[in-house]
Structures are given as C-alpha cells and as structure tokens.
Amino acid sequence: MCIFCKVAKREIPARIVFEDDDLVAFHDINPVAPIHVLVIPKQHISGIGEVTADQAEVLGKLLVAARRVAEDAGLMPSGFRVVINHGQHAGQTVHHIHVHVLGGRPLAWPPG
Ligand code: AMP
Ligand code: ZN
C-alpha cells in the first residue's frame, strides 16, 4: 500500500486538517511555505497523468477542498497556489495524486 493510502487509512500519523468520505487534507511533512497542505483522494490514483473521465467528480472535489483549506488557513486575502506535480520533471515523489496548497509568503512565478 502506498504512503498516502496509509495516511488516508490512518495507518501512519499525519496532521490532518480536513477529512470527508472521499478526501483527506494534511500538513506536508516537509513544508516549503508557511502553509503547505496536501489534499488527496482516499481512492488510490497514481497521478494526474493517469486520471480518467470517471474520476472527474473526485478531482473536482480535490479542488473544492483546496479552496476550503486555503480559506481555513486564512490565505484568501494574501493569495495561495495550488499545484499537482506529475512525473520526473515536475519532481513527483509520491505516486498517489495530491494537490499542494501553498501560501503564507510570496511565491515566485514561473517555478524554477
Ligand atoms: P510531490 O513532489 O508532488 O510528489 O510531493 C510529495 C510531497 O509529499 C512532498 O512535499 C513531501 O514532503 C510530502 N510527504 C511525503 N511523505 C509525507 C508524509 N508521510 N506526510 C506528509 N507529507 C509527506
Ligand atoms: Zn495510494
């Protein structure tokens, strides 16, 4: 079982900020911004490159939850970034799709 499936099943500890029937949001273990939360589906999907049309609903829920996480963290006034990495060039290290919610400092664009 992958590491984020274990987080979703609470088999390994995480600082969970939000959970519902489909999703879990938790603080990144190695934050790169003052707010760095990951939102994952409980269902294992390995990456954005593998999604299929029948997963559109859960993917939409990921983005709605990302907005909620940002709002709850107080990031609406200052702004935030939502990121999904896929594959080697994007630096994907965990092969269970996850949305990064980043904020709390100015974020450079374009990314390096
Ligand atoms: P990515 O490069 O998009 O695959 O990002 C994976 C992210 O997962 C990284 O930012 C890691 O710091 C984070 N991460 C890995 N293991 C854990 C964990 N057990 N709990 C929380 N975050 C984790
Ligand atoms: Zn998984």
Side-chain angles (χ1 to χ4, degrees):
M1 193 190 305
C2 93
I3 192 163
F4 285 178
C5 283
K6 289 181 180 171
V7 169
K9 292 181 190 301
R10 300 198 181 230
E11 290 183 7
I12 59 171
R15 291 170 56 213
I16 292 174
V17 297
F18 171 79
E19 179 173 14
D20 66 15
D21 288 346
D22 302 304
L23 313 173
V24 186
F26 51 98
H27 288 279
D28 196 292
I29 205 169
N30 185 24
V32 298
I35 302 294
H36 187 174
V37 171
L38 304 175
V39 190
I40 65 168
K42 289 184 173 176
Q43 171 193 3
H44 181 88
I45 300 170
S46 57
I48 191 76
E50 286 84 26
V51 298
T52 54
D54 61 309
Q55 292 163 337
E57 186 176 352
V58 71
L59 293 170
K61 287 178 179 178
L62 279 178
L63 290 182
V64 174
R67 190 272 301 155
R68 178 182 169 154
V69 164
E71 194 165 36
D72 289 352
L75 294 176
M76 282 299 163
S78 52
F80 60 97
R81 184 169 294 159
V82 170
V83 172
I84 301 175
N85 292 317
H86 184 83
Q88 187 183 0
H89 279 189
Q92 184 185 14
T93 56
V94 177
H95 294 272
H96 179 130
I97 194 169
H98 48 281
V99 173
H100 296 256
V101 180
L102 299 156
R105 66 168 173 80
L107 300 162
W109 189 263

